[in-house]
Amino acid sequence: MTLMGEKLATIGPEMVLSVGALLCLFLGLARSARVRHATPLIAGVSLVLCIVGPMAWSAARPAAPGEIALVLGLAATPMAAFLKITIASIGLLLLLVSYRTPDQLPQNIEIERSGAAFDPGQTTRGEFFAFFLMSLAGAMLCAGADGLVWLFLALELTSLPTYIMLVTTRQSTLAREATVKYFFLGALAVAMFLYGFTLIYGATGVTQLYTTPVTEGLATVQSVVAEWRQEGQPLPLMLLVGMGLAILGISFKIAAVPMHLYTADVYQGATTPMTAFLAFVPKTAGFASLVLLLGTLGWPLPEPIAAMLWIMAVLTMTVGNVLGLMQTSVKRALAYSSIAHSGYMLVGLLAGSAAMEAGQPVVASGIAGILFYLVAYGVANLASFGVLGCLKRQGEEAETYQDISGLHHRHPWLAAIMLISLLSLIGLPPLVGFLGKIYLFAPAFFTGEPAMIWLVVIALINSAISAVYYLRIAAAIYFGQPSEEVERDEQTARMTGSGIAATAAVVLGLGAGALGLTDMLAKAADQPGKVLIQPADTDGDEAASEDRSNIPSATAGRN
Amino acid sequence: MDVSMVKWIPWISLLSAAICGVLCFRRAWGVWAAPVTITAIAASFVVAMLAAPSGLLRDDDGRIADALGKSPHDIGQTVKAIDWINLNERDALMDDGSPPATLEEARGLADQHQSARIIESGEAGYSVRVPGLSANFSYYIDPLTLLMLFVVCGIGSLVAIYGAGYMKGDKGYARFFAAVSIFIFAMTSMVMGDNLVLLFLGWEMVGLASYLLIGYYFKKPSAAAAARKAFIVNRIGDLGFALGIFLTYMRYDTVVISEVLAMATSPEHVADWRDYWIPFLLMLGALGKSAQIPLYVWLPDAMEGPTPVSALIHAATMVTSGVYMIARLHPLFENSPYALPTVATIGGVTAFFAATIATSQFDLKKIYAYSTVSQLGYMFLGVGMGVRYAIFGGLFHLLTHAFFKALLFLTSGNVMHGTHGQLDIRKLSGLRHLMPFTCWLMLAGCLSLAAFPLTAGFFSKDAILVGVFEQGLAETDPNRWYVVLGVLGLVTAFLTPFYAFRAWFRVFMGPEKYEMGTEAHGDEEEHAHPSGADSHLIDEDHHAHDDKPHEASWLMLAPLFVLALGALFVGIIGYKPVKELVEGSTAVISTGKESLISADLNLTLIIQIASGIIATLGILTAAYFHWLNRQAGQNLADRLAGPIRVLENKYWVDEIYDLAIVKPLRLLGWIFQLVDTLLVGGLVKLFGWLPRLLGQLARPSQSGVLHGYGLSMLAGVALLVLLILLAAR
Amino acid sequence: MDSARSRPVGVSESTLAGQQIDLWKVAKRCGHAYLLPSSGTGCWEDVFAAIITLNDPLRCDPRIMDSAVLYALYVATVVGAIALILIMPGAFSTAIRRIGGLLGAATLGGLWLWLGRFLPELGTDQAPFLYYYLFSGIAIIAAVRVISHTKPVYAALWFVMVILSSAGLLLILQAEFMAFALVIIYGGAILVTYMFVIMLAAQAGDASHAEDAPEYDRVAREPVLAVLVGFLMMALLLTAIHEPAPEVPAARGPSDMAIKVAMLTDRPEERAIQRLPPEQRELVRQTFGQRGMAEAFGPVIAQIADRELQTRELEEFQAAIGAWVEAQPWRDVKPRPSTQQLPLLVDRLLLETIDQQVSSIAGRALTEEDRRLLQQTLANQRVLGNVERVGFDLFNAHPLGLELAGVILLVALIGAVIMARQRVTAADEPEQPAIDEEVSA
Amino acid sequence: MSTPLSGMLLSHFLMTGAILFGLGLIGFVTRRNLIIMFLCTELMFQGVVISLVSLSLHHGNFEGQTFVIFVLTIAAAEAALALGLVVLLYRGRKTLDGTAWALLRG
């Protein structure tokens, strides 16, 4: 196997997605309607390849230590591998849910109906799926990012396509308003974390987070910080403020306080499948980035950062839940619930890998909690928005409590899917949300610090509050008067997608351990940025790479 | 078969539930739900009976070893199915990576870790467990588990076969079997679970299946109300149970049952306040689930569900889970001086109380519902003793009761089926010729329930009473209160045959007279008649005798024969094996006051003779008043109009609850409005409104203006950065 | 090894006094250790103490001076905030806005003068940094105009001014490539697009009051609150950046010399210089064989040896390096270097040779101090220009990043096309209720 | 590459960067014209660029400068999208006022 082949295998999924995106882009402009309709299929195939490819690759060549899997700025970490598979799998479900979204646009309906002559300037099918894949690729790149530059680019690649998808998938003034808010505030957030990155670079002098392409000699943010912390020096203000700004800027993507304000408006304005997309993809990218960034500091986090995150976590879950209580629109309530769930995940971020001990055989780190919760939230969120997307009220999207009232009597299966997802969001056993919350809160609890225990208590109270509005949705579905005006949109794919997600919520809740997920998690959460597979051309130098902290000092000695 | 095979038992049912779920999609597919479910439950039964015994600890002569004084790790085997919750808990190892070999090493190792504890792990020596939370899908197989599996899967498969006939043609055929499969999954998980979290999960899921099935005819308002009532009443109990589990975890740093029991029974264990409270909290859960005073009110109403469900869930299996739980965690109850007496008292009083109500009910299913409550009271009385024989009696009664009560419910289902939902015993009479099989099958059930000598109920009930009197008259430590309970049990033993045979004589003996019910088919109101020549036996039957009560189909009768055989003979066949099982289970590991290890022969004989006479008397009384001379019965009833009205109205307990909880708020509204608003309402409102208040405060931030959002974000960022600067320096 | 990294931590307070010029170098080398704002004393005391100590250059304590700068910045921030509130459009009349402008200019000027006091400390080699005051002054004033001008076109033009002056700043910072890229990409490409869109909008609407900008341009939204929050943020950032960035020796990349050697010798199959084509061998020889090395290292070697060097010695040194480069069996270097590692490896091996040569010339073993000097000299070998070096780093460290940037541009391009072609008419848009007033009320 | 930037001068340049960044922030939340708002984000990017280059000189490596190239690229991409969006919005409502978009709230 050539060196280049190895390197490219690391970004294989992203490359497959990019190629798929380009194909969608071109075929979306095809003259034949049948070819144009094949674009979602291509997107699906490329996502499947993303899942199967790496597995086949590693099955064909079990990775031995001392082999290269490090591509300039991107690292093949177990966490990245886990997140890539997660993103691709949930992306596949998202694809099912948004399979017919472009078809529902007025101009496309018009074209289909009138049989008008083909006009490449009017069709928007291919682009939608192209941007869909691009955004997923961006999220995957975030997971494997190993440098500030790369993180910045990957975050941009995640979010830029979402702006376009947001405004083009719904022809309504609401969607345009949502886009202008999302985009402009997003640009503000980008500027903020960019300034944060600048300060981090300023403090440490490097942009690489964990590993450098030049394994010998150059420092990384992690090694520099580790050295400072080892020597007991106070961390420079520039680093702390830079980290703070970077976290705050990225917290726009995860919709955490104070960068959450856009969330409800944007989720409401977006078309429902798009909302499901927005609630998962940027959030995953954001959390991956946060884990990677904070991993350079190491857990327990420095006090100022921990204090900030603590306050953010408390505010995020509380604001999300109390505002969720106030809503008359189910979509908005779920948007606020999305905020609240980010708050829960911040708990895991705070706990970090503090509870990990060497040789520990079980999942017990907050990082693992976050990774698992991303899956748990991903499926539950997708199922609930998918069900919402299956309903129409006089051709408009259903979104109020009234619209879903009595759903059980008209569409018992949609109601059951919704119920499962809501129960999972509440965190009731044996659904995946319960396991997710345990994995998130237990590590924080086991740190034994009073602040963390209080945080867990607050999180539990918040879970109880959130149950009120989730159960209100469930009550409307099961006990409300059915509304005749609401009808099911004939969307087999969308319903299948949510159905699979709901099933996954049950199956993962019972069998996360049996499916090997916990083992994967334990590996993935071992240490953010830790490259298990070392470059091949440092053979004989493994000892040095294992203990990265003495590399900079070795070179520093020569200065 | 290897013992590790038992780990498949719950999952077979889950798979069946999934398949039935899929079958729900098409009406035409629904017919396959029954074979799938029956196969699954029967397969579970076979696996359990073949695999589980190989995991039990045996004596040299091949008998199941006596559990007294043994470690729970020895008498049972833990089989791990899948990882579930596994946080932080791990075994500490010595420096060289090996587990500690001696106690000294283990002690030294434990000192190095915070709140670590030493566990004796059988022949493997010691392990030092560093605390965390470990709750996996792993199963603890001991004789008690085996007994419960026998009941759950055995009765379950019979009821499922019956249900296949009973529910035929119902719109929600597959839905019914999906719920039954879920129930079996939950129930088997619960009885096999090796940790309290899994036990609680199963506990909640059987509850869920129960509500689903009570509310099966969700369009009937009474069914929906009954489901709601069951839900609310059980929440009270489950809250206590959850708190109990939490307290147990706080006390023992683990939720794994065998470890908890090992610690609770170890001689070094010193009980503290938590040990006093744990059983009471756990007991609350048991009272709710097993419908004991004061949380019994939901069970009679739960008969709104389809009759097979009543038989399976609300008579044979689920309601006994409280008994099971007390038996399983018996050592915890023994650690608290007042816990077991409380259990026994509640059991004894409930047994009597419910039996009196049952004597005056007219609805066949209601009678059996109160009878169930009463018999559960017996079981509580049994497991509430500190005596082996009584515990054995309680658990044995659990088994025999499962047989005869399931039989009774199913035969009453036959009656219901044949008479279009008519269950009022005043409106049915002399059906023995129309429904001969049902008649004699029900007789078998009634005899067993009445504890007629040599039937199954006779042996198990006597075992309980013998145990009670033994404890009460013990030479070393007599406790007269138990004598009172024993006498109460004997009185109940008179009432039981009376109400059982009252119903039977009414319905099957006497002149043939009946009023058909109004329901189309059994208790199924939205039953759609399948049309065409291929429609099933029952339906042909149904059409042929539309105006007459008719016998049920063979599919429904076949399982009843098995149950009847059980109800009659399981007492003789099962006495020794069950005793062996119970004495080898964790329920008795610390229960073994020497003088009380096995029953006193004389006492046993006296009680057996006495209760045999009492049972016969009860039957004769019922025969006189309700068969031979119904007019006399009527006269007596008229004379006793007052007391009977009390009983008919179930002591007005529902009304008292209504009066005690609902009315004061309404009736004394004017007077107590202020207090009520301030204290009760105020608190409720505070918890309700605090989040809303916060929401109102936070809402203006969502003004909808882009710039406002930008400014708020900026302000937030500035404040947080300020925080960083302040915290850093 | 560790002793090499030791910092002069033990320098006591008393040694500090009277050595302030050297101290800057010390402080420079040891990062933030000395440049903390002194804690414990009140802020005004510090400012006065700074003024007093400034009058007496011998007693100038860098720590006090440092915190004085910080407080001066805070004062300037507060005054600047007031000025900006006055300047923001919509709130005040033109006259007051002018006063605000004057106040702002005065603040900036005062701050510049105040900061200028420290310039003499810096030494003559940093004289070009004087231009800093010019360019950054223009940049800041232009930025204020961008956010305060009521006419979008002018705002955009002022933004061009910001870019030009930033380009000037980048030139001072020896980043020629960045400076020109900035002018071309921003001033050329992006700003033209902005102007185009602004003109499009201005042309299409607002014909009725063309002489006056529309209301939303004339009136700023919540200027006071925004300026206060913004300046709070600015003050926080100033505090954070005020503490000088610590120097991280390991962050320094390979020397230019090493890069050049690596680039000349790195071939995937045959790394041995001996197998290079003749013209490349010639290039290597020219690079290392002529006078370059000797000239660069001469003074340093003389300093280390503590005597005048003879030409012969330098020529020998020169020859030794050349011979080393040519004789190096690149293939066999262990661990086998990759493209990225080679420069660093070269750096190390080259230094070893230089060490040997110098110690033989100096006649003694080299100290860590000597080695650092030599390494500095090697790092300072200006063989690569800014453009070359940026190019090397870009393609060396971020080859895939460039591809990704291309993908992002493609996404943006297609996205802009799709967005702009969406059919929206005024009829699709309902009139908006006047929420703004309601909210701000 | 040569003389690293001294701490004092470095903070001068960073100060300019921070001031530009802060002014951009203020402009973003006060100016109602969508185009100017986005121009203000470009202003923030300018602050970032100046800081990055000065830090690059200070640290004696070129990562800061290479970062700038990417910042410029992304700024261009975002500007293209923003202007496309502004054109779209303007066509519908004939105004560039950012506060006019406030239907979604609560």
Side-chain angles (χ1 to χ4, degrees), chain C residues 157-170:
Chain C
L157 286 175
W158 276 111
F159 187 67
V160 175
M161 204 65 216
V162 175
I163 286 164
L164 291 179
S165 45
S166 325
L169 288 174
L170 299 197

Side-chain angles (χ1 to χ4, degrees), chain C residues 345-407:
Chain C
L345 195 66
V346 171
D347 242 3
R348 204 175 73 194
L349 297 175
L350 197 55
L351 266 175
E352 276 173 15
T353 312
I354 293 171
D355 277 3
Q356 279 174 12
Q357 292 296 317
V358 175
S359 70
S360 76
I361 292 173
R364 63 179 170 86
L366 297 183
T367 62
E368 287 301 333
E369 187 62 31
D370 298 335
R371 288 218 175 85
R372 196 175 299 141
L373 262 174
L374 288 174
Q375 196 180 29
Q376 192 72 25
T377 318
L378 186 63
N380 288 349
Q381 277 278 61
R382 296 212 52 175
V383 257
L384 293 180
N386 176 264
V387 182
E388 290 167 300
R389 185 67 201 257
V390 170
F392 177 80
D393 270 29
L394 194 59
F395 286 97
N396 198 25
H398 303 287
L400 282 169
L402 274 181
E403 301 296 321
L404 186 57
V407 170

Side-chain angles (χ1 to χ4, degrees), chain A residues 72 121 123 173 176 216 559, chain C residues 249 344 348 372 375 399 421 429:
Chain A
L72 321 170
T123 172
T173 181
R176 286 189 280 276
E216 194 185 358
N559 285 350
Chain C
L344 279 175
R348 204 175 73 194
R372 196 175 299 141
Q375 196 180 29
R421 85 173 179 208
E429 295 286 353

Side-chain angles (χ1 to χ4, degrees), chain A residues 302-324:
Chain A
E303 193 130 305
I305 300 288
M308 183 185 83
L309 278 175
W310 196 92
I311 290 178
M312 279 173 72
V314 170
L315 286 179
T316 305
M317 47 196 164
T318 313
V319 164
N321 282 325
V322 296
L323 282 178

